[in-house]
Amino acid sequence: MNQPIIKDETLNRWFNGYEIADDVRSLREEFLDLHIGRGDVVLVCLPNTAAYPVITQALWEVGAVMHPIAATTPELELQQELDEHEYVASIVGQELVNAALDDRLAIVTALHLQTYPLLHIIRDRQLMGNDARVPDEDDLALIMNTSGTTGKPKRVGLTHGLLLNGVEHDIESHKMTALDTTMVVMPMFHINAQAVSILSTRLSGGKIVITNKFSASKFWNQVRDNGVTWVSVVPTIINILLINQAANANYSDDIRLRFVRCSSFALPLDKLTAFQTRFHTTILEGYGMTETASQCTINPFDAPKVGSAGKAFKTDVEIMVDRKIVHAPNQLGEIIVRGDHVIADYLDPHPNSFKNGWFLTGDLGYLDEDGYLFVKGRKKDIINHGGEKVAPAQVENSLSQLNFIKEVSVIGTPDSLYGEAVTAVVISQGQQAEELERQKIMAHAQATLANYEQPTRIFFVEDYPRNATGKVIRLKLREQVMSNLIRSVG
């Protein structure tokens, strides 16, 4: 108990088991005094902090449910969230107290914790609350919002049983032990940080380093100074670490990451190979989502297949074409999953997302002859170009091979002749003229893509509209392109 187990990089402080237990006890007692108990939902709006695991544990000990949202949530959006759903309480930092209160009849409690100097609990007095009780496996533990990159986010309810199963699968597939130290660089209101990094590490007895957010210039120093053995990231972070001068300067050969877990979309071969060679580690690519309490597939340590999301792990994964499961390899269709860590329904009705015990992910992909999953993008993102179906991920993976491209997103825009034009929206390194880069993009596309997949429009931008986890919001990007807010060079 006196060993350091969680570090808050912002505070530059390690907390041992006694200190974490003291903070949990203080919070639990406050929840009991405020009559927050079994089944009561508490909204948490905080930045990445060592207090997150403390709040989670204290809420679960009284049987309450945590719903974390981004600390950068605008005040109006926070108020709308509180108005739409019955939150017995909200937990926020000082800067959001007035917005969360918003003329509500409430009790405001300021609590000093070791892991968070001044925490505010706003207890809605119009809601009775329930008695505290140790939760059952089927009781809700977490409510999380989906990414919402193609529409309004869905609310996902994860029970204690689903989370436990998912986390145990993570521990086994990643070979986690008490000797591991992970570093959290992903936002803590996201399933990646909550399940893959925090819960799995706590259950396996390892240590956790929590950063406020990813910093390329600080990353390798943080890994080295804290003895980090693995970290979970997204491909964008891989790309940034490869090209950021400060990151490359701060890396040294005495750093030994056991692996880097990467998910969200597949890395191009050249960038995966470059990262592994430059930083002397292994990238493990996987596939999962909020609805599955983290992962469904993962590349095995001893047999990874580049470009794939790996093989199913403690999950049934199939491909559905025309609402029927197909067993032949290399058949492109919707990815469907089921397992002891997969939800059976959303908190709000979405019946079209489930069929005969399967969760229909909305993602397109195929299983090869060896059972490896290849993810090709979202069904809603598919571009209909003259009757040919174009998967944006296929085009993005090809164009990402160009070293002057920092990031690329491919969308469909209206075309009078073909219905939709394949439109590449590029974030460039900015080291050469855009017209020259456009020509290189077209030449590379002609050499690597089918005619109907080649982009006919190219736009250069400084950044994309993104959600709180950094994912591109394609609907907004398309709107910006269509409203001429982005300068075209095509």
Side-chain angles (χ1 to χ4, degrees):
M1 287 289 285
N2 62 353
Q3 297 296 312
I5 57 173
I6 298 178
K7 184 184 182 184
D8 191 311
E9 276 287 294
T10 302
L11 300 175
N12 192 28
R13 179 181 170 185
W14 279 97
F15 297 95
N16 63 35
Y18 289 114
E19 292 167 324
I20 296 295
D22 283 345
D23 274 4
V24 171
R25 183 163 47 251
S26 297
L27 260 179
R28 184 180 65 242
E29 290 174 356
E30 194 63 44
F31 293 153
L32 291 172
D33 289 344
L34 293 171
H35 200 228
I36 297 173
R38 186 189 182 195
D40 292 332
V41 182
V42 176
L43 190 74
V44 177
C45 187
L46 293 172
N48 280 17
T49 165
Y52 245 114
V54 168
I55 295 167
T56 305
Q57 185 171 335
L59 285 171
W60 288 353
E61 287 187 5
V62 299
V65 185
M66 181 172 76
H67 184 179
I69 62 172
T72 54
T73 300
E75 291 187 1
L76 181 59
E77 190 175 321
L78 173 65
Q79 291 165 353
Q80 289 174 340
E81 182 72 33
L82 290 168
D83 289 339
E84 285 182 18
H85 307 289
E86 291 190 341
Y87 295 101
V88 167
S90 56
I91 298 177
V92 298
Q94 175 67 45
E95 68 282 357
L96 286 176
V97 170
N98 290 336
L101 191 56
D102 191 31
D103 294 329
R104 286 181 174 79
L105 186 62
I107 301 170
V108 181
T109 301
L111 196 62
H112 296 276
L113 299 176
Q114 296 170 89
T115 52
Y116 205 89
L118 187 59
L119 196 70
H120 290 83
I121 306 172
I122 301 171
R123 174 67 167 89
D124 192 327
R125 293 177 61 187
Q126 297 181 85
L127 298 174
M128 289 292 292
N130 296 305
D131 293 335
R133 205 189 91 175
V134 176
D136 298 325
E137 283 193 358
D138 292 334
D139 286 339
L140 278 183
L142 276 178
I143 294 175
M144 308 197 82
N145 296 336
T146 60
S147 297
T149 56
T150 58
K152 184 177 180 180
K154 301 182 180 74
R155 295 193 311 143
V156 178
L158 297 171
T159 66
H160 288 274
L162 291 175
L163 277 173
L164 178 61
N165 293 333
V167 167
E168 286 182 337
H169 302 335
D170 289 341
I171 292 171
E172 183 180 349
S173 62
H174 294 78
K175 300 181 180 179
M176 297 180 198
T177 73
L179 299 177
D180 277 314
T181 298
T182 192
M183 183 166 73
V184 178
V185 295
M186 300 294 290
M188 294 177 72
F189 60 88
H190 191 271
I191 193 65
N192 190 300
Q194 282 292 331
V196 178
S197 296
I198 296 174
L199 291 178
S200 62
T201 300
R202 296 208 72 191
L203 199 61
S204 60
K207 297 177 182 177
I208 304 170
V209 177
I210 296 172
T211 69
N212 180 47
K213 60 182 180 180
F214 166 72
S215 167
S217 62
K218 296 177 182 178
F219 183 85
W220 292 117
N221 289 335
Q222 291 169 331
V223 169
R224 180 193 301 106
D225 295 346
N226 296 302
V228 174
T229 60
W230 71 276
V231 62
S232 184
V233 302
V234 291
T236 303
I237 290 177
I238 296 290
N239 293 336
I240 291 172
L241 288 173
L242 275 172
I243 64 176
N244 185 274
Q245 292 182 352
N248 278 271
N250 288 333
Y251 176 79
S252 57
D253 289 343
D254 59 338
I255 294 174
R256 282 292 182 268
L257 278 179
R258 193 161 66 82
F259 65 89
V260 173
R261 186 189 187 278
C262 188
S263 60
S264 186
F265 56 88
L267 277 167
L269 172 60
D270 60 327
K271 292 188 176 178
L272 184 148
T273 303
F275 188 91
Q276 292 187 147
T277 302
R278 173 70 183 92
F279 300 121
H280 306 293
T281 190
T282 297
I283 291 180
L284 284 186
E285 294 189 279
Y287 170 76
M289 60 207 75
T290 308
E291 291 91 339
T292 64
S294 81
Q295 73 175 17
C296 298
T297 68
I298 190 76
N299 267 284
F301 278 97
D302 58 350
K305 186 172 286 193
V306 174
S308 84
K311 304 181 78 170
F313 192 90
K314 302 297 178 72
T315 314
D316 294 326
V317 179
E318 297 287 359
I319 302 299
M320 188 172 70
V321 178
D322 296 329
R323 305 291 289 182
K324 294 180 180 179
I325 294 175
V326 295
H327 297 290
N330 304 313
Q331 297 294 305
L332 183 67
E334 183 172 8
I335 302 167
I336 63 174
V337 298
R338 66 182 179 188
D340 61 6
H341 57 105
V342 182
I343 65 169
D345 206 349
Y346 287 101
L347 293 182
D348 308 304
H350 291 281
N352 293 334
S353 295
F354 302 88
K355 181 182 180 182
N356 299 331
W358 293 89
F359 169 58
L360 315 185
T361 66
D363 290 325
L364 287 175
Y366 65 88
L367 293 165
D368 72 5
E369 57 279 356
D370 299 317
Y372 286 77
L373 177 67
F374 288 77
V375 183
K376 292 301 178 182
R378 298 286 296 171
K379 283 175 61 179
K380 292 181 180 179
D381 294 337
I382 291 297
I383 300 166
N384 189 339
H385 182 71
E388 298 281 4
K389 301 299 189 293
V390 180
Q394 176 80 3
V395 185
E396 291 164 357
N397 287 342
S398 171
L399 301 186
S400 293
Q401 296 170 12
L402 293 167
N403 57 15
F404 61 82
I405 290 182
K406 183 177 180 181
E407 212 171 334
V408 57
S409 287
V410 174
I411 58 174
T413 54
D415 183 275
S416 58
L417 182 60
Y418 290 100
E420 284 187 300
V422 180
T423 305
V425 188
V426 176
I427 300 176
S428 170
Q429 306 282 7
Q431 298 173 345
Q432 49 193 335
E434 288 181 356
E435 179 58 28
L436 177 60
E437 291 186 349
R438 188 187 72 81
Q439 293 173 8
K440 290 182 176 180
I441 290 171
M442 295 303 297
H444 181 79
Q446 289 170 6
T448 59
L449 295 167
N451 287 341
Y452 65 87
E453 293 176 321
Q454 296 169 20
T456 54
R457 294 172 184 166
I458 300 172
F459 296 84
F460 288 87
V461 297
E462 295 296 322
D463 200 1
Y464 305 125
R466 302 178 188 268
N467 65 14
T469 63
K471 289 184 178 180
V472 180
I473 304 176
R474 292 178 183 268
L475 286 178
K476 288 188 177 180
L477 179 60
R478 187 175 185 273
E479 290 171 3
Q480 288 185 5
V481 170
M482 294 308 300
S483 61
N484 295 317
L485 293 178
I486 299 174
R487 180 166 55 91
S488 170
V489 297

